Amino acid sequence: MKKSNQFVGLPIISINEGAEIGTVKSLVINAQQGSVDFLTVEHEDWQISVRAVPFKKIVGVGEFAVTIEDRNSIFDLTEIPIANELVQKKISISGARVIDRKGQLLGEVGEFYINEDNGSILGLTIGMNDKEAVLKSEFVVTFGRDLIVVKEESQLHFLNEPEQLIEPEQTLEELTLDRFANEDPLKEKQLELLNGKRASKDIYSKTGNLIIPSGTLLSREDIVKAREEGPSVMVELSMNVAD
């Protein structure tokens, strides 16, 4: 789960090329589905056209970068009319006022939370006069351009912490198992894309130890070793490989 503002400004890394090919400029909301369907991409060479990467083309969203297979995952908006249509609707969520179906003003959205695996919106925070509450997206009726409309009973289901957007009835052990189950396909995809490529520079652990010398033909064990060092080391490896 990530806050929407944790996406903006992240480098977009092509795993196949080992290169940064842009940064995340904005999130494109599908109000009907309650999801983030595209990320628009900013690059100094693309001054005229607007380009975006479909969320389903994203390999992973980490602390330091968004990874995709290659630059072919990024499209001009003229090539994907639905993305252009969603962009024109300008649904931003953050800063929108929240009212219930009866017309009562509840407050204003401060932030919203996204499932980084599939782009679905999990919930949002609502700032009120004297407090901030968290509401699951299942209580949202409409994500509008200026207003978010929620169900009348929403106030009875306010949560205290964003972490509660993850199913509260699950134990910590169950949540951990679910997390790893969801990450397995992503990890396997990363292994497939990097396996057999050659490291083009020395890769060091977080403590400064050399773990993958330049010129190493990457094995699955090398990739797992880099992953275990954390996101920053994995990004460093992804950006410095060659066929």
Side-chain angles (χ1 to χ4, degrees):
M1 180 179 72
K2 287 189 178 293
K3 293 193 294 185
S4 61
N5 65 11
Q6 291 178 307
F7 284 80
V8 178
L10 282 179
I12 298 175
I13 305 298
S14 165
I15 295 175
N16 283 351
E17 300 167 74
E20 179 180 331
I21 54 177
T23 57
V24 178
K25 183 177 182 180
S26 64
L27 311 180
V28 181
I29 309 297
N30 185 327
Q32 194 168 27
Q33 297 297 323
S35 62
V36 176
D37 281 10
F38 300 89
L39 303 179
T40 62
V41 182
E42 187 170 44
H43 191 284
E44 59 183 10
D45 294 335
W46 303 335
Q47 298 298 324
I48 300 177
S49 62
V50 178
R51 304 192 184 188
V53 55
F55 209 97
K56 63 183 179 181
K57 290 285 188 179
I58 293 172
V59 176
V61 181
E63 182 180 355
F64 300 101
V66 172
T67 56
I68 58 178
E69 289 187 18
D70 53 49
R71 65 180 63 242
N72 292 327
S73 298
I74 297 177
F75 301 87
D76 191 293
L77 286 191
T78 58
E79 301 175 33
I80 38 178
I82 182 62
N84 192 40
E85 180 182 335
L86 293 175
V87 168
Q88 295 305 316
K89 289 183 178 180
K90 298 181 179 179
I91 305 295
S92 62
I93 301 183
S94 294
R97 289 172 296 168
V98 181
I99 64 170
D100 66 19
R101 287 169 57 96
K102 297 293 187 180
Q104 180 178 352
L105 178 65
L106 302 185
E108 185 175 291
V109 177
E111 187 54 84
F112 63 100
Y113 294 82
I114 302 160
N115 182 329
E116 66 264 41
D117 294 322
N118 57 29
S120 62
I121 297 172
L122 299 175
L124 43 86
T125 58
I126 304 173
M128 293 172 279
N129 290 331
D130 56 349
K131 66 175 182 177
E132 184 175 77
V134 180
L135 183 67
K136 285 187 174 183
S137 59
E138 63 191 70
F139 294 99
V140 175
V141 177
T142 305
F143 287 106
R145 178 172 177 174
D146 303 309
L147 293 170
I148 307 294
V149 182
V150 300
K151 297 177 181 178
E152 299 96 304
E153 68 271 22
S154 294
Q155 295 187 68
L156 301 176
H157 298 276
F158 281 161
L159 305 173
N160 295 319
E161 301 291 339
E163 288 72 22
Q164 293 176 278
L165 292 171
I166 303 173
E167 293 300 326
E169 64 270 13
Q170 289 183 292
T171 65
L172 179 60
E173 180 180 3
E174 289 171 332
L175 287 172
T176 302
L177 289 173
D178 283 353
R179 178 184 175 190
F180 282 115
N182 289 332
E183 285 181 348
D184 280 345
L186 167 59
K187 290 182 176 181
E188 188 59 35
K189 190 66 175 178
Q190 289 175 328
L191 285 169
E192 290 176 8
L193 291 171
L194 292 174
N195 190 33
K197 293 187 179 295
R198 192 175 300 277
S200 58
K201 66 173 288 187
D202 291 338
I203 303 299
Y204 293 89
S205 70
K206 291 184 292 186
T207 57
N209 295 319
L210 179 64
I211 57 173
I212 302 175
S214 177
T216 299
L217 193 64
L218 296 176
S219 65
R220 294 173 69 90
E221 290 75 19
D222 293 322
I223 301 164
V224 170
K225 188 190 303 180
R227 180 189 293 145
E228 289 174 347
E229 288 294 327
S232 60
V233 177
M234 193 61 183
V235 169
E236 182 75 7
L237 175 62
S238 300
M239 293 179 63
N240 292 282
V241 293
D243 293 328

